[in-house]
Amino acid sequence: MAIATSGYKTKQRAIVEEALRQNNGNHITVEELTEQIALQGNAVGRTTVYRCLEKLVSEGRVQKYAAVGESACYQYLSDEGCHDHFHLKCVSCGKLIHIECEHITELAKHIGEEHGFSVDKLKTVLYGKCKECSAK
């Protein structure tokens, strides 16, 4: 007889969650997360990390940022969270930047009021080049 494990929290999942909490406010790739976990003396395979992340994403506890042709990165959503700002993604170096900007917030408000469309800040990423890459 199969045992349902949808709410079951494994040791590996706890390790992945703790590593994400340690990076609270930052964006981290699966490779970086797997390396961090290994450096802390824990053995959690990359496939398990992916599985844990996808479960956490589906539960709304982790945000996944992915662009076509790039490695996805993940962010742990604490209570303070990542809810009140937008993101900028550098197409050169891959850096994901949090941005709190009154102008972008007003644009999102305008889109809602004038066009009847609610912008999801968590999933809105503007692509371009960061200051450092533009200077090169």
Side-chain angles (χ1 to χ4, degrees):
M1 182 166 114
I3 299 172
T5 59
S6 61
Y8 186 67
K9 190 170 182 178
T10 65
K11 179 181 178 184
Q12 289 85 1
R13 179 173 163 166
I15 290 168
V16 171
E17 283 189 65
E18 180 55 31
L20 287 165
R21 276 190 211 93
Q22 291 171 1
N23 286 282
N24 190 25
N26 296 319
H27 306 97
I28 188 166
T29 64
V30 170
E31 292 76 21
E32 293 166 336
L33 190 59
T34 304
E35 183 178 322
Q36 176 184 335
I37 290 167
L39 288 172
Q40 293 173 345
N42 296 303
V44 179
R46 186 176 302 215
T47 302
T48 301
V49 171
Y50 272 112
R51 217 176 7 250
C52 290
L53 285 169
E54 291 306 316
K55 180 72 172 162
L56 291 166
V57 167
S58 72
E59 293 172 356
R61 300 181 64 202
V62 169
Q63 180 65 41
K64 178 179 180 177
Y65 300 95
V68 176
E70 295 182 19
S71 294
C73 61
Y74 299 83
Q75 181 184 8
Y76 179 73
L77 299 175
S78 66
D79 290 337
E80 303 88 56
C82 187
H83 308 286
D84 291 329
H85 59 261
F86 292 89
H87 298 89
L88 306 177
K89 174 87 172 172
C90 180
V91 295
S92 292
C93 69
K95 182 173 19 177
L96 192 64
I97 304 162
H98 296 250
I99 182 169
E100 293 184 32
C101 175
E102 184 179 316
H103 298 290
I104 295 176
T105 302
E106 285 299 315
L107 176 61
K109 183 178 175 184
H110 165 81
I111 290 170
E113 290 173 356
E114 297 297 320
H115 304 283
F117 188 85
S118 177
V119 176
D120 183 343
K121 293 179 184 180
L122 275 176
K123 295 183 180 175
T124 302
V125 180
L126 301 173
Y127 293 87
K129 284 192 177 181
C130 69
K131 187 187 313 184
E132 292 80 13
C133 290
S134 292
K136 290 179 184 177

